[in-house]
Protein backbone atom coordinates (compact mmCIF):
# COMPACT_ATOMS: atom_id res chain seq x y z
CA UNK A 1 0.00 0.00 0.00
CA UNK A 2 1.31 3.47 -0.92
CA UNK A 3 1.88 5.94 1.94
CA UNK A 4 -0.69 8.31 0.41
CA UNK A 5 -3.26 5.53 0.31
CA UNK A 6 -2.71 4.92 4.00
CA UNK A 7 -3.11 8.64 4.80
CA UNK A 8 -6.27 8.80 2.70
CA UNK A 9 -7.65 5.78 4.52
CA UNK A 10 -7.06 7.46 7.90
CA UNK A 11 -8.52 10.68 6.48
CA UNK A 12 -11.68 8.90 5.37
CA UNK A 13 -12.07 7.06 8.67
CA UNK A 14 -11.67 10.34 10.54
CA UNK A 15 -14.22 12.05 8.32
CA UNK A 16 -16.73 9.21 8.68
CA UNK A 17 -16.42 8.71 12.44
CA UNK A 18 -16.25 12.38 13.38
CA UNK A 19 -19.29 12.90 11.15
CA UNK A 20 -21.21 10.21 13.03
CA UNK A 21 -20.02 11.44 16.43
CA UNK A 22 -20.97 15.07 15.87
CA UNK A 23 -24.14 14.44 13.85
CA UNK A 24 -26.48 15.29 16.74
CA UNK A 25 -24.59 18.43 17.62
CA UNK A 26 -24.39 19.60 14.00
CA UNK A 27 -28.16 19.27 13.68
CA UNK A 28 -28.72 20.99 17.08
CA UNK A 29 -26.48 23.92 16.18
CA UNK A 30 -28.01 24.23 12.72
CA UNK A 31 -31.54 24.36 14.14
CA UNK A 32 -30.47 26.85 16.75
CA UNK A 33 -28.64 28.89 14.14
CA UNK A 34 -31.82 29.23 12.09
CA UNK A 35 -33.81 30.09 15.23
CA UNK A 36 -31.36 32.74 16.42
CA UNK A 37 -31.03 34.23 12.93
CA UNK A 38 -34.66 35.26 13.21
CA UNK A 39 -34.50 36.52 16.77
CA UNK A 40 -36.04 39.84 15.66
CA UNK A 41 -39.15 38.15 14.30
CA UNK A 42 -39.87 35.65 17.05
CA UNK A 43 -38.79 34.57 20.49
CA UNK A 44 -36.72 31.42 19.84
CA UNK A 45 -36.47 30.49 23.52
CA UNK A 46 -39.94 30.99 24.97
CA UNK A 47 -43.55 30.64 24.01
CA UNK A 48 -45.32 33.67 25.42
CA UNK A 49 -49.05 33.03 25.71
CA UNK A 50 -51.05 36.21 26.14
CA UNK A 51 -54.66 36.65 27.13
CA UNK A 52 -56.48 39.99 27.12
CA UNK A 53 -58.47 40.71 30.27
CA UNK A 54 -61.16 43.39 30.67
CA UNK A 55 -61.92 44.71 34.15
CA UNK A 56 -65.44 45.87 35.04
CA UNK A 57 -64.24 49.51 34.88
CA UNK A 58 -61.16 51.73 35.03
CA UNK A 59 -59.45 52.12 38.40
CA UNK A 60 -57.33 54.73 40.14
CA UNK A 61 -54.10 53.60 41.76
CA UNK A 62 -55.31 54.38 45.28
CA UNK A 63 -58.32 52.09 44.81
CA UNK A 64 -56.09 49.05 44.41
CA UNK A 65 -56.09 46.67 47.35
CA UNK A 66 -55.28 42.99 47.81
CA UNK A 67 -58.97 42.29 47.44
CA UNK A 68 -59.26 44.07 44.06
CA UNK A 69 -56.08 42.31 42.90
CA UNK A 70 -57.72 39.02 43.88
CA UNK A 71 -60.76 39.90 41.72
CA UNK A 72 -58.58 40.85 38.73
CA UNK A 73 -56.66 37.59 39.13
CA UNK A 74 -59.87 35.55 39.12
CA UNK A 75 -60.66 36.98 35.66
CA UNK A 76 -57.48 35.35 34.39
CA UNK A 77 -58.31 32.08 36.16
CA UNK A 78 -55.71 32.57 38.90
CA UNK A 79 -57.09 31.66 42.33
CA UNK A 80 -54.31 33.53 44.19
CA UNK A 81 -51.39 35.85 43.52
CA UNK A 82 -47.87 36.16 44.86
CA UNK A 83 -47.48 39.92 44.89
CA UNK A 84 -48.37 43.06 43.03
CA UNK A 85 -46.40 46.18 42.23
CA UNK A 86 -46.87 49.44 40.34
CA UNK A 87 -44.49 50.01 37.42
CA UNK A 88 -46.04 53.46 36.86
CA UNK A 89 -48.92 55.56 38.12
CA UNK A 90 -51.21 54.05 35.50
CA UNK A 91 -50.26 50.38 35.75
CA UNK A 92 -50.26 47.52 38.20
CA UNK A 93 -48.40 44.27 37.63
CA UNK A 94 -49.56 41.11 39.36
CA UNK A 95 -47.23 38.14 39.79
CA UNK A 96 -48.28 34.49 39.87
CA UNK A 97 -46.28 31.29 40.03
CA UNK A 98 -45.80 30.93 36.28
CA UNK A 99 -47.45 34.05 34.94
CA UNK A 100 -47.92 37.78 35.30
CA UNK A 101 -50.68 40.24 34.50
CA UNK A 102 -50.05 43.86 33.56
CA UNK A 103 -53.14 46.00 34.02
CA UNK A 104 -53.63 49.47 32.60
CA UNK A 105 -55.68 50.92 35.44
CA UNK A 106 -57.17 53.82 33.51
CA UNK A 107 -58.58 51.76 30.66
CA UNK A 108 -59.31 48.68 32.76
CA UNK A 109 -57.52 46.48 30.22
CA UNK A 110 -55.00 43.89 31.23
CA UNK A 111 -52.66 41.42 29.58
CA UNK A 112 -52.17 38.07 31.25
CA UNK A 113 -48.94 36.42 30.17
CA UNK A 114 -47.63 32.91 30.62
CA UNK A 115 -44.09 31.96 29.76
CA UNK A 116 -43.03 28.48 28.80
CA UNK A 117 -39.90 27.10 27.22
CA UNK A 118 -40.12 26.47 23.48
CA UNK A 119 -39.58 22.71 23.19
CA UNK A 120 -36.42 21.62 21.37
CA UNK A 121 -35.41 25.20 20.42
CA UNK A 122 -34.90 26.26 24.04
CA UNK A 123 -32.60 23.29 24.61
CA UNK A 124 -30.55 23.74 21.42
CA UNK A 125 -30.31 27.48 22.08
CA UNK A 126 -28.98 26.78 25.58
CA UNK A 127 -26.10 24.94 23.91
CA UNK A 128 -25.58 27.48 21.14
CA UNK A 129 -25.54 30.41 23.59
CA UNK A 130 -23.20 28.59 25.95
CA UNK A 131 -25.72 29.02 28.75
CA UNK A 132 -24.00 26.17 30.60
CA UNK A 133 -20.77 27.52 32.08
CA UNK A 134 -18.32 24.81 30.91
CA UNK A 135 -20.03 24.21 27.58
CA UNK A 136 -17.96 26.84 25.78
CA UNK A 137 -14.97 24.48 25.92
CA UNK A 138 -17.02 21.67 24.42
CA UNK A 139 -18.27 24.17 21.89
CA UNK A 140 -14.70 25.20 20.98
CA UNK A 141 -13.76 21.56 20.52
CA UNK A 142 -16.84 21.02 18.37
CA UNK A 143 -15.94 24.04 16.20
CA UNK A 144 -12.41 22.68 15.74
CA UNK A 145 -13.79 19.27 14.84
CA UNK A 146 -16.05 20.85 12.24
CA UNK A 147 -12.91 22.19 10.59
CA UNK A 148 -11.38 18.71 10.71
CA UNK A 149 -14.55 17.17 9.22
CA UNK A 150 -14.54 19.76 6.43
CA UNK A 151 -10.85 19.43 5.61
CA UNK A 152 -10.92 15.63 5.67
CA UNK A 153 -14.01 15.80 3.44
CA UNK A 154 -11.97 17.66 0.82
CA UNK A 155 -9.44 14.86 0.60
CA UNK A 156 -11.74 11.85 0.54
CA UNK A 157 -11.77 11.34 -3.19
CA UNK A 158 -9.19 11.37 -5.94
CA UNK A 159 -9.56 12.10 -9.62
CA UNK A 160 -12.19 14.19 -11.33
CA UNK A 161 -14.58 14.09 -8.34
CA UNK A 162 -11.81 15.01 -5.87
CA UNK A 163 -10.25 18.33 -4.89
CA UNK A 164 -8.15 18.65 -8.10
CA UNK A 165 -11.32 18.08 -10.17
CA UNK A 166 -14.76 19.43 -9.41
CA UNK A 167 -13.84 19.97 -5.74
CA UNK A 168 -11.83 23.13 -6.32
CA UNK A 169 -14.62 24.73 -8.35
CA UNK A 170 -17.25 23.94 -5.74
CA UNK A 171 -15.03 25.36 -2.97
CA UNK A 172 -14.61 28.56 -4.98
CA UNK A 173 -18.36 28.75 -5.64
CA UNK A 174 -19.09 28.25 -1.95
CA UNK A 175 -16.73 31.06 -0.99
CA UNK A 176 -18.50 33.50 -3.31
CA UNK A 177 -21.71 34.28 -1.28
CA UNK A 178 -19.83 35.36 1.88
CA UNK A 179 -17.38 37.39 -0.24
CA UNK A 180 -20.25 39.16 -2.04
CA UNK A 181 -21.92 39.88 1.33
CA UNK A 182 -18.69 41.37 2.70
CA UNK A 183 -18.16 43.54 -0.38
CA UNK A 184 -21.77 44.75 -0.18
CA UNK A 185 -21.30 45.63 3.49
CA UNK A 186 -18.31 47.79 2.62
CA UNK A 187 -20.20 49.79 -0.06
CA UNK B 1 -43.32 61.17 35.52
CA UNK B 2 -43.33 57.51 36.42
CA UNK B 3 -41.61 56.81 39.67
CA UNK B 4 -40.17 53.47 40.62
CA UNK B 5 -42.34 52.10 43.39
CA UNK B 6 -40.41 50.51 46.15
CA UNK B 7 -43.21 48.87 48.09
CA UNK B 8 -44.00 45.36 47.03
CA UNK B 9 -47.44 44.11 48.01
CA UNK B 10 -47.46 40.46 48.90
CA UNK B 11 -50.47 38.23 49.07
CA UNK B 12 -52.08 37.97 52.51
CA UNK B 13 -51.73 34.18 52.53
CA UNK B 14 -48.66 33.05 54.45
CA UNK B 15 -47.28 29.52 54.59
CA UNK B 16 -47.56 27.72 57.95
CA UNK B 17 -43.81 27.95 58.64
CA UNK B 18 -43.89 31.70 58.02
CA UNK B 19 -46.80 32.06 60.45
CA UNK B 20 -44.92 30.06 63.09
CA UNK B 21 -41.78 32.14 62.57
CA UNK B 22 -43.81 35.32 62.88
CA UNK B 23 -45.30 34.08 66.15
CA UNK B 24 -41.85 33.27 67.56
CA UNK B 25 -40.54 36.66 66.48
CA UNK B 26 -43.51 38.45 68.09
CA UNK B 27 -42.92 36.54 71.33
CA UNK B 28 -39.23 37.38 71.21
CA UNK B 29 -40.00 41.06 70.56
CA UNK B 30 -42.45 41.15 73.46
CA UNK B 31 -39.85 39.61 75.81
CA UNK B 32 -37.17 41.97 74.56
CA UNK B 33 -39.48 44.89 75.30
CA UNK B 34 -39.49 43.86 78.98
CA UNK B 35 -35.73 44.33 79.18
CA UNK B 36 -34.61 47.46 80.99
CA UNK B 37 -31.56 48.12 78.83
CA UNK B 38 -32.11 49.25 75.24
CA UNK B 39 -29.54 49.68 72.48
CA UNK B 40 -29.80 52.83 70.34
CA UNK B 41 -32.42 51.90 67.77
CA UNK B 42 -30.72 53.65 64.86
CA UNK B 43 -27.56 51.60 65.27
CA UNK B 44 -29.08 48.14 65.47
CA UNK B 45 -31.19 45.96 63.27
CA UNK B 46 -32.45 42.37 63.40
CA UNK B 47 -28.94 41.15 62.41
CA UNK B 48 -27.11 43.15 65.07
CA UNK B 49 -25.42 46.53 64.74
CA UNK B 50 -26.44 48.17 61.51
CA UNK B 51 -23.86 48.22 58.75
CA UNK B 52 -25.03 49.84 55.53
CA UNK B 53 -23.60 49.63 52.03
CA UNK B 54 -24.54 51.40 48.83
CA UNK B 55 -24.61 49.49 45.55
CA UNK B 56 -24.64 51.44 42.29
CA UNK B 57 -26.32 49.08 39.84
CA UNK B 58 -26.24 49.62 36.10
CA UNK B 59 -27.09 47.55 33.05
CA UNK B 60 -23.54 46.59 32.15
CA UNK B 61 -21.91 46.56 28.74
CA UNK B 62 -19.18 44.73 26.84
CA UNK B 63 -17.63 48.19 26.32
CA UNK B 64 -14.76 48.94 28.66
CA UNK B 65 -15.26 52.70 28.36
CA UNK B 66 -18.89 52.23 29.40
CA UNK B 67 -17.88 50.27 32.48
CA UNK B 68 -15.10 52.71 33.36
CA UNK B 69 -17.61 55.58 33.34
CA UNK B 70 -19.58 53.71 35.99
CA UNK B 71 -16.48 52.96 38.09
CA UNK B 72 -15.56 56.67 37.83
CA UNK B 73 -19.02 57.57 39.05
CA UNK B 74 -18.47 55.36 42.09
CA UNK B 75 -15.16 57.14 42.81
CA UNK B 76 -16.82 60.53 42.60
CA UNK B 77 -19.89 59.85 44.75
CA UNK B 78 -18.28 57.57 47.34
CA UNK B 79 -16.40 60.22 49.42
CA UNK B 80 -19.53 62.27 50.02
CA UNK B 81 -21.72 59.25 50.77
CA UNK B 82 -19.12 57.88 53.18
CA UNK B 83 -18.69 61.17 55.08
CA UNK B 84 -22.13 60.77 56.63
CA UNK B 85 -20.78 57.82 58.63
CA UNK B 86 -24.01 55.87 58.11
CA UNK B 87 -22.63 54.09 55.04
CA UNK B 88 -19.36 52.19 55.15
CA UNK B 89 -19.06 50.88 51.59
CA UNK B 90 -19.96 52.14 48.12
CA UNK B 91 -19.57 49.68 45.24
CA UNK B 92 -20.57 49.19 41.63
CA UNK B 93 -22.31 46.17 40.09
CA UNK B 94 -23.41 45.32 36.57
CA UNK B 95 -26.58 43.48 35.75
CA UNK B 96 -25.05 41.65 32.80
CA UNK B 97 -21.99 41.30 30.54
CA UNK B 98 -19.30 41.91 33.14
CA UNK B 99 -18.15 41.38 36.65
CA UNK B 100 -18.68 42.51 39.33
CA UNK B 101 -22.22 41.24 38.99
CA UNK B 102 -25.01 42.08 41.40
CA UNK B 103 -24.80 38.60 42.96
CA UNK B 104 -21.03 38.95 43.43
CA UNK B 105 -21.46 42.23 45.27
CA UNK B 106 -24.37 41.07 47.42
CA UNK B 107 -22.37 37.99 48.47
CA UNK B 108 -19.46 40.26 49.40
CA UNK B 109 -21.77 42.41 51.50
CA UNK B 110 -23.16 39.36 53.28
CA UNK B 111 -19.66 38.02 53.98
CA UNK B 112 -18.66 41.39 55.39
CA UNK B 113 -21.68 41.46 57.68
CA UNK B 114 -23.66 44.29 56.09
CA UNK B 115 -27.20 44.44 57.39
CA UNK B 116 -28.61 46.92 54.85
CA UNK B 117 -27.88 47.63 51.21
CA UNK B 118 -29.18 50.74 49.48
CA UNK B 119 -29.37 49.93 45.78
CA UNK B 120 -29.14 52.86 43.37
CA UNK B 121 -30.49 51.66 39.99
CA UNK B 122 -28.77 53.72 37.30
CA UNK B 123 -31.55 53.26 34.79
CA UNK B 124 -33.30 56.10 33.01
CA UNK B 125 -36.90 55.10 33.62
CA UNK B 126 -39.15 52.10 34.05
CA UNK B 127 -38.34 49.02 31.95
CA UNK B 128 -38.42 45.26 32.53
CA UNK B 129 -34.75 45.56 33.58
CA UNK B 130 -35.41 48.05 36.35
CA UNK B 131 -38.84 46.82 37.34
CA UNK B 132 -38.53 43.05 37.12
CA UNK B 133 -35.01 41.83 36.36
CA UNK B 134 -33.26 43.77 39.10
CA UNK B 135 -35.62 42.75 41.94
CA UNK B 136 -35.66 39.18 40.61
CA UNK B 137 -31.84 39.01 40.64
CA UNK B 138 -31.83 40.24 44.24
CA UNK B 139 -34.51 37.77 45.32
CA UNK B 140 -37.15 40.43 45.91
CA UNK B 141 -39.45 39.17 43.16
CA UNK B 142 -39.93 36.03 41.11
CA UNK B 143 -41.00 37.30 37.74
CA UNK B 144 -41.38 34.14 35.61
CA UNK B 145 -40.06 35.71 32.40
CA UNK B 146 -37.12 37.31 34.19
CA UNK B 147 -36.21 34.08 35.94
CA UNK B 148 -36.13 32.16 32.66
CA UNK B 149 -34.19 34.87 30.86
CA UNK B 150 -31.66 35.29 33.66
CA UNK B 151 -31.02 31.57 33.65
CA UNK B 152 -30.50 31.53 29.91
CA UNK B 153 -28.17 34.52 30.09
CA UNK B 154 -26.23 33.02 33.01
CA UNK B 155 -27.10 35.91 35.32
CA UNK B 156 -26.92 34.65 38.86
CA UNK B 157 -29.75 35.35 41.30
CA UNK B 158 -28.86 35.88 44.92
CA UNK B 159 -31.12 36.79 47.82
CA UNK B 160 -28.91 38.51 50.36
CA UNK B 161 -29.26 38.32 54.10
CA UNK B 162 -28.94 42.10 54.17
CA UNK B 163 -32.14 44.08 53.74
CA UNK B 164 -32.43 45.76 50.35
CA UNK B 165 -33.75 49.26 49.76
CA UNK B 166 -33.95 50.82 46.34
CA UNK B 167 -33.75 54.48 45.42
CA UNK B 168 -35.89 55.85 42.58
CA UNK B 169 -34.73 55.76 38.97
CA UNK B 170 -32.89 58.58 37.21
CA UNK B 171 -36.10 60.10 35.86
CA UNK B 172 -37.12 60.99 39.39
CA UNK B 173 -35.95 64.47 40.21
CA UNK B 174 -34.34 67.15 38.14
CA UNK B 175 -30.89 65.79 37.28
CA UNK B 176 -31.88 64.33 33.93
CA UNK B 177 -33.49 67.57 32.73
CA UNK B 178 -30.49 69.62 33.87
CA UNK B 179 -28.15 67.24 32.10
CA UNK B 180 -29.91 67.36 28.74
CA UNK B 181 -30.35 71.16 28.88
CA UNK B 182 -26.63 71.63 29.62
CA UNK B 183 -25.57 69.39 26.75
CA UNK B 184 -28.05 70.97 24.33
CA UNK B 185 -26.69 74.44 25.18
CA UNK B 186 -23.15 73.24 24.56
CA UNK B 187 -24.06 72.09 21.03
CA UNK B 188 -26.27 75.01 20.09
CA UNK B 189 -25.05 77.98 18.05
CA UNK B 190 -28.18 79.50 16.46
CA UNK B 191 -31.24 78.25 18.38
CA UNK B 192 -33.70 79.64 15.84
CA UNK B 193 -32.22 77.47 13.06
CA UNK B 194 -31.87 74.32 15.11
CA UNK B 195 -33.92 71.39 16.28
CA UNK B 196 -33.05 68.77 18.87
CA UNK B 197 -33.07 65.00 18.48
CA UNK B 198 -32.94 62.98 21.70
CA UNK B 199 -31.94 59.35 21.24
CA UNK B 200 -32.67 56.91 24.05
CA UNK B 201 -32.67 53.16 24.54
CA UNK B 202 -36.48 52.86 24.58
CA UNK B 203 -38.66 49.98 25.71
CA UNK B 204 -41.50 48.01 24.12
CA UNK B 205 -43.44 47.22 27.27
CA UNK B 206 -43.28 50.71 28.75
CA UNK B 207 -43.10 52.72 25.53
CA UNK B 208 -45.72 55.18 26.77
CA UNK B 209 -43.63 56.01 29.85
CA UNK B 210 -40.49 56.41 27.73
CA UNK B 211 -42.30 58.69 25.29
CA UNK B 212 -43.70 60.78 28.13
CA UNK B 213 -40.26 61.13 29.69
CA UNK B 214 -38.65 62.25 26.45
CA UNK B 215 -41.46 64.70 25.69
CA UNK B 216 -41.13 66.16 29.19
CA UNK B 217 -37.35 66.50 28.96
CA UNK B 218 -37.77 67.97 25.47
CA UNK B 219 -40.19 70.59 26.75
CA UNK B 220 -37.68 71.65 29.41
CA UNK B 221 -34.98 71.96 26.74
CA UNK B 222 -37.34 74.05 24.60
CA UNK B 223 -38.08 76.42 27.47
CA UNK B 224 -34.49 76.88 28.52
CA UNK B 225 -32.65 76.98 25.20
CA UNK B 226 -35.16 78.61 22.89
CA UNK B 227 -34.82 75.71 20.44
CA UNK B 228 -38.42 75.08 19.46
CA UNK B 229 -38.20 71.91 17.33
CA UNK B 230 -37.79 68.64 19.21
CA UNK B 231 -38.13 64.97 18.51
CA UNK B 232 -36.79 61.69 19.77
CA UNK B 233 -35.82 58.26 18.53
CA UNK B 234 -34.68 54.93 19.95
CA UNK B 235 -31.52 52.90 19.62
CA UNK B 236 -32.18 49.87 21.85
CA UNK B 237 -33.93 46.53 21.54
CA UNK B 238 -37.22 48.22 20.62
CA UNK B 239 -35.65 49.12 17.23
CA UNK B 240 -33.48 45.98 17.22
CA UNK B 241 -30.36 48.11 17.68
CA UNK B 242 -30.78 49.56 14.18
CA UNK B 243 -29.82 53.11 13.19
CA UNK B 244 -33.06 53.75 11.23
CA UNK B 245 -34.91 55.36 14.14
CA UNK B 246 -32.07 57.89 14.52
CA UNK B 247 -32.14 58.61 10.77
CA UNK B 248 -35.91 59.13 10.80
CA UNK B 249 -35.76 61.43 13.83
CA UNK B 250 -32.93 63.52 12.32
CA UNK B 251 -34.81 63.79 9.02
CA UNK B 252 -37.94 64.96 10.87
CA UNK B 253 -35.97 67.91 12.24
CA UNK B 254 -34.08 68.66 9.01
CA UNK B 255 -37.40 69.06 7.17
CA UNK B 256 -38.04 72.26 9.11
CA UNK B 257 -34.67 73.36 10.45
CA UNK B 258 -31.22 74.04 9.06
CA UNK B 259 -29.43 71.95 11.68
CA UNK B 260 -30.21 69.02 13.94
CA UNK B 261 -28.50 68.68 17.31
CA UNK B 262 -28.36 65.01 18.27
CA UNK B 263 -28.09 64.12 21.96
CA UNK B 264 -27.72 60.53 23.17
CA UNK B 265 -29.78 60.13 26.35
CA UNK B 266 -27.80 57.09 27.45
CA UNK B 267 -26.13 56.49 30.81
CA UNK B 268 -22.56 56.13 29.50
CA UNK B 269 -20.57 55.94 26.29
CA UNK B 270 -20.69 52.64 24.43
CA UNK B 271 -19.07 52.39 20.99
CA UNK B 272 -21.90 50.22 19.74
CA UNK B 273 -24.58 52.77 20.61
CA UNK B 274 -23.00 56.21 20.27
CA UNK B 275 -20.82 55.34 17.27
CA UNK B 276 -22.32 52.45 15.33
CA UNK B 277 -26.05 52.93 15.87
CA UNK B 278 -26.49 56.68 16.44
CA UNK B 279 -23.46 57.72 14.36
CA UNK B 280 -24.55 55.34 11.59
CA UNK B 281 -28.07 56.76 11.69
CA UNK B 282 -26.76 60.31 11.32
CA UNK B 283 -24.63 59.33 8.31
CA UNK B 284 -27.73 58.11 6.50
CA UNK B 285 -29.76 61.24 7.22
CA UNK B 286 -30.70 63.73 4.47
CA UNK B 287 -27.90 66.23 4.14
CA UNK B 288 -25.58 63.92 6.03
CA UNK B 289 -23.17 65.01 8.71
CA UNK B 290 -22.95 68.60 7.47
CA UNK B 291 -26.35 69.54 8.84
CA UNK B 292 -25.99 67.66 12.11
CA UNK B 293 -24.18 68.62 15.31
CA UNK B 294 -23.40 65.49 17.26
CA UNK B 295 -21.13 64.77 20.15
CA UNK B 296 -21.13 61.08 21.03
CA UNK B 297 -21.34 61.72 24.75
CA UNK B 298 -23.68 60.47 27.47
CA UNK B 299 -25.41 61.41 30.70
CA UNK B 300 -22.25 60.60 32.64
CA UNK B 301 -20.10 62.24 33.82
CA UNK B 302 -22.34 64.86 35.36
CA UNK B 303 -22.07 66.61 38.75
CA UNK B 304 -25.87 67.05 38.84
CA UNK B 305 -26.40 63.28 38.58
CA UNK B 306 -23.71 62.67 41.20
CA UNK B 307 -25.41 65.15 43.51
CA UNK B 308 -28.75 63.47 42.87
CA UNK B 309 -27.33 60.06 43.78
CA UNK B 310 -25.86 61.38 47.04
CA UNK B 311 -29.19 63.00 47.89
CA UNK B 312 -31.20 59.87 47.02
CA UNK B 313 -28.95 57.73 49.24
CA UNK B 314 -29.24 60.24 52.07
CA UNK B 315 -33.03 60.14 51.82
CA UNK B 316 -33.03 56.33 51.97
CA UNK B 317 -30.73 56.32 55.00
CA UNK B 318 -32.95 58.85 56.75
CA UNK B 319 -36.02 56.71 56.04
CA UNK B 320 -34.15 53.67 57.33
CA UNK B 321 -33.14 55.51 60.51
CA UNK B 322 -36.66 56.83 61.03
CA UNK B 323 -38.06 53.31 60.70
CA UNK B 324 -35.87 51.89 63.46
CA UNK B 325 -36.14 54.93 65.75
CA UNK B 326 -38.25 54.19 68.87
Amino acid sequence: MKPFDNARKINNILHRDLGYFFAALIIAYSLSGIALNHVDEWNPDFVITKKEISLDRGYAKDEITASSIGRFSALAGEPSFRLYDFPSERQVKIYYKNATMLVDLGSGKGTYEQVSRRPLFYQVNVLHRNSVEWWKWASDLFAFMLIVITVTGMFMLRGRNGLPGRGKWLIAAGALPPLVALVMQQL
Amino acid sequence: MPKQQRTLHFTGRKPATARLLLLVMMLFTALAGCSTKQEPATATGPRGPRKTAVLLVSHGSPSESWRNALFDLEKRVAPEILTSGSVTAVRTAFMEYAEPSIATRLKEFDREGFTDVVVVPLFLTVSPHSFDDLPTIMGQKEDPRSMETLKLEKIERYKPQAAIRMTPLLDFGDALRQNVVRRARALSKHPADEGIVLIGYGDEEYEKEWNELFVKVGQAVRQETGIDALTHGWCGHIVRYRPDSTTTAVNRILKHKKRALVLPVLVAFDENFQVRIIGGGIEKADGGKERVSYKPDSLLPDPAIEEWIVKAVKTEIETLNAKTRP
Side-chain angles (χ1 to χ4, degrees):
Chain A
M1 189 180 275
K2 291 174 190 171
F4 275 126
D5 286 344
N6 207 17
R8 195 176 301 277
K9 196 179 171 192
I10 294 168
N11 177 81
N12 292 1
I13 290 170
L14 260 179
H15 183 82
R16 182 195 66 201
D17 289 354
L18 287 175
Y20 286 141
F21 187 81
F22 286 105
L25 213 45
I26 290 169
I27 292 168
Y29 269 65
S30 304
L31 277 177
S32 173
I34 295 167
L36 297 176
N37 261 349
H38 298 274
V39 76
D40 287 351
E41 292 103 50
W42 76 323
N43 188 330
D45 302 302
F46 304 110
V47 180
I48 314 278
T49 314
K50 292 188 179 188
K51 192 161 79 175
E52 298 304 319
I53 303 291
S54 287
L55 308 183
D56 54 334
R57 60 178 173 88
Y59 284 79
K61 190 186 164 191
D62 54 14
E63 284 183 89
I64 301 302
T65 60
S67 148
S68 51
I69 293 293
R71 284 201 313 276
F72 302 164
S73 302
L75 295 172
E78 289 283 356
S80 63
F81 61 92
R82 283 188 160 180
L83 71 108
Y84 65 97
D85 195 3
F86 299 92
S88 69
E89 290 299 308
R90 66 178 180 93
Q91 292 164 307
V92 63
K93 189 164 182 177
I94 313 164
Y95 297 82
Y96 310 101
K97 194 177 175 217
N98 291 313
T100 57
M101 183 155 74
L102 185 64
V103 178
D104 187 300
L105 293 168
S107 66
K109 302 276 180 206
T111 306
Y112 175 80
E113 182 185 290
Q114 271 179 321
V115 181
S116 57
R117 292 175 180 179
R118 197 179 288 283
L120 182 66
F121 284 101
Y122 175 88
Q123 287 77 12
V124 292
N125 292 341
V126 161
L127 297 179
H128 210 152
R129 286 179 205 256
N130 289 329
S131 293
V132 179
E133 197 57 56
W134 54 269
W135 183 252
K136 74 173 174 186
W137 303 111
S139 189
D140 281 354
L141 179 72
F142 169 57
F144 178 72
M145 287 305 164
L146 277 181
I147 296 171
V148 175
I149 291 169
T150 306
V151 173
T152 51
M154 288 179 193
F155 295 101
M156 279 183 72
L157 298 177
R158 279 182 293 196
R160 64 188 186 95
N161 286 329
L163 187 61
R166 60 189 286 149
K168 63 177 184 286
W169 299 114
L170 286 171
I171 288 172
L176 265 180
L179 284 175
V180 170
L182 285 174
V183 170
M184 282 173 71
Q185 193 266 340
Q186 294 299 319
L187 294 177
Chain B
M1 192 58 51
K3 178 190 166 188
Q4 173 83 343
Q5 301 298 316
R6 286 164 290 129
T7 310
L8 299 179
H9 306 264
F10 288 87
T11 178
R13 195 177 295 173
K14 290 185 180 71
T17 46
R19 279 201 295 267
L20 186 67
L21 195 67
L22 191 68
L23 193 70
V24 171
M25 280 170 70
M26 281 167 70
L27 192 66
F28 180 76
T29 313
L31 287 172
C34 297
S35 165
T36 50
K37 190 184 172 189
Q38 281 191 345
E39 292 294 322
T42 51
T44 56
R47 293 181 66 211
R50 180 180 307 145
K51 198 175 167 190
T52 308
V54 168
L55 188 61
L56 306 172
V57 174
S58 51
H59 183 277
S61 163
S63 159
E64 198 180 346
S65 39
W66 193 97
R67 297 194 302 273
N68 285 341
L70 273 298
F71 286 127
D72 288 345
L73 175 72
E74 178 196 305
K75 280 181 203 150
R76 278 194 295 271
V77 297
E80 195 159 351
I81 293 174
L82 295 170
T83 47
S84 71
S86 307
V87 175
T88 50
V90 179
R91 287 174 202 162
T92 295
F94 303 117
M95 201 177 78
E96 53 186 301
Y97 293 117
E99 282 289 335
S101 70
I102 297 169
T104 301
R105 287 303 198 205
L106 293 179
K107 283 178 189 173
E108 277 174 18
F109 289 146
D110 271 355
R111 270 198 307 272
E112 293 166 31
F114 282 92
T115 56
D116 296 88
V117 178
V118 175
V119 172
V120 183
L122 298 164
F123 291 84
L124 209 58
T125 190
V126 66
S127 70
H129 281 327
S130 63
F131 191 68
D132 284 324
D133 296 344
L134 210 50
T136 303
I137 290 171
M138 299 187 295
Q140 315 291 303
K141 271 185 188 174
E142 287 187 350
D143 179 65
R145 197 200 278 217
S146 282
M147 291 205 296
E148 287 288 5
T149 312
L150 296 173
K151 195 171 182 186
L152 203 60
E153 291 176 359
K154 286 191 288 185
I155 299 173
E156 189 183 356
R157 294 179 68 215
Y158 180 73
K159 188 178 170 63
Q161 287 175 284
I164 298 280
R165 296 186 66 83
M166 269 169 82
T167 67
L169 302 169
L170 287 172
D171 64 0
F172 187 69
D174 203 34
L176 182 63
R177 184 194 63 80
Q178 283 180 40
N179 178 290
V180 178
V181 168
R182 175 178 58 78
R183 290 161 61 213
R185 276 197 180 126
L187 276 184
S188 173
K189 283 177 186 151
H190 306 287
D193 299 332
E194 296 162 346
I196 288 184
V197 180
L198 302 176
I199 303 292
Y201 193 87
D203 184 75
E204 281 145 309
E205 203 168 327
Y206 299 105
E207 195 178 356
K208 193 177 172 195
E209 280 70 26
W210 279 78
N211 277 321
E212 280 172 4
L213 172 67
F214 275 66
V215 167
K216 191 183 166 184
V217 171
Q219 280 166 352
V221 174
R222 181 180 294 158
Q223 278 170 6
E224 296 193 34
T225 61
I227 301 170
D228 60 359
L230 283 139
T231 191
H232 61 266
W234 309 128
C235 59
H237 185 260
I238 187 170
V239 293
R240 306 296 183 256
Y241 308 101
R242 288 192 185 120
D244 315 26
S245 176
T246 302
T247 309
T248 310
V250 171
N251 285 342
R252 262 200 304 272
I253 290 294
L254 292 180
K255 259 186 193 170
H256 310 287
K257 294 286 179 179
K258 285 183 186 166
R259 292 194 72 77
L261 315 182
V262 180
L263 286 149
V265 188
L266 301 166
V267 171
F269 173 80
D270 181 316
E271 296 79 2
N272 189 35
F273 286 92
Q274 273 90 334
V275 178
R276 189 185 72 82
I277 304 172
I278 303 176
I282 291 168
E283 276 179 16
K284 287 184 197 160
D286 299 337
K289 282 180 176 176
E290 292 72 32
R291 292 179 64 199
V292 176
S293 294
Y294 174 56
K295 191 178 168 196
D297 57 3
S298 57
L299 297 177
L300 295 177
D302 181 11
I305 291 178
E306 290 158 24
E307 204 176 296
W308 179 83
I309 291 169
V310 172
K311 209 170 146 191
V313 169
K314 209 176 269 180
T315 308
E316 284 304 322
I317 300 289
E318 279 168 10
T319 315
L320 194 61
N321 287 342
K323 261 190 154 181
T324 45
R325 209 166 276 146

